[in-house]
Amino acid sequence: MIYLELLWSFVQIGLFSIGGGYAAMPLIQHQVVDAHPWLTMSQFADVMAIAEMTPGPIAINAATFVGIQVAGIPGAIVATLGCVLPSCVIVMALAYVYYKYRGLKLVQGVLGGLRPAVVALIASAGLSLIVLSFYGQRTLPEDLGGFSWISVIIFAAGLFVLRKWRVNPIHVMAGAGALGVLLYPVLGG
């Protein structure tokens, strides 16, 4: 039964995560934290961090990790297949339709309409992770002053370095991790 739940959950994620891994974050969160309490929000944030750092697509990495947590290696295989299957079917169907009808204004209109929705999904995932990082909880607290200064400083420094010098994001992530290792034990969270 757990294998069917994993398969169905990740088929839904794979089916509706238009726009890539970052757009899939809210969908994955809904399935693995809200709909099926397989992970806590803190564990979900850890999964997303690991999925982003691990080579490969974020959604597939997350599916594999969640599958292992829930049902071991067979669970990882089922969740990963569930995540990949809709994409394979959709891409083959869309490639056929696009090459046959790519000149139609209707097709161009559909693609133009999807862009803002994808941006909204990515922004939602980003804001959720920022709130979790700054406040240590899923939603904004009533007292907005009780945030982690260390998290805010590391975030601001990373954003500044990325925008000012266009440094490789992998180097910024490594630097942020090193700052966290140095600052959190000394200054606390």
Side-chain angles (χ1 to χ4, degrees):
M1 186 63 178
I2 190 68
Y3 298 118
L4 288 176
E5 288 179 5
L6 274 170
L7 180 69
W8 180 241
S9 291
F10 281 97
V11 162
Q12 291 176 59
I13 291 165
L15 188 62
F16 295 108
S17 60
I18 299 167
Y22 294 110
M25 282 185 189
L27 302 174
I28 297 170
Q29 176 188 334
H30 173 73
Q31 287 294 327
V32 304
V33 176
D34 300 331
H36 307 282
W38 292 325
L39 300 176
T40 65
M41 190 60 187
S42 179
Q43 290 171 320
F44 171 74
D46 292 342
V47 166
M48 286 297 108
I50 292 169
E52 289 175 18
M53 292 188 306
T54 307
I58 293 171
I60 294 172
N61 292 343
T64 304
F65 185 79
V66 170
I68 285 174
Q69 292 288 98
V70 173
I73 298 293
I77 293 169
V78 167
T80 304
L81 286 175
C83 192
V84 172
L85 182 65
S87 299
C88 292
V89 172
I90 290 170
V91 165
M92 290 196 310
L94 285 176
Y96 173 77
V97 170
Y98 180 74
Y99 282 113
K100 189 168 182 175
Y101 302 107
R102 66 180 162 220
L104 293 178
K105 287 186 180 185
L106 177 67
V107 173
Q108 296 302 317
V110 168
L111 293 174
L114 285 174
R115 283 186 203 109
V118 169
V119 170
L121 285 170
I122 293 169
S124 171
L127 288 173
S128 293
L129 290 175
I130 286 172
V131 168
L132 181 64
S133 174
F134 289 178
Y135 294 101
Q137 61 187 42
R138 250 177 105 168
T139 57
L140 281 173
E142 297 212 8
D143 174 25
L144 294 178
F147 55 86
S148 167
W149 281 100
I150 297 171
S151 294
V152 173
I153 290 168
I154 292 173
F155 172 80
L159 187 61
F160 178 76
V161 167
L162 282 170
R163 302 301 296 166
K164 176 80 173 167
W165 292 295
R166 307 250 187 240
V167 175
N168 186 330
I170 294 171
H171 297 136
V172 174
M173 287 179 8
L179 273 174
V181 167
L182 293 173
L183 295 178
Y184 272 99
V186 174
L187 302 175

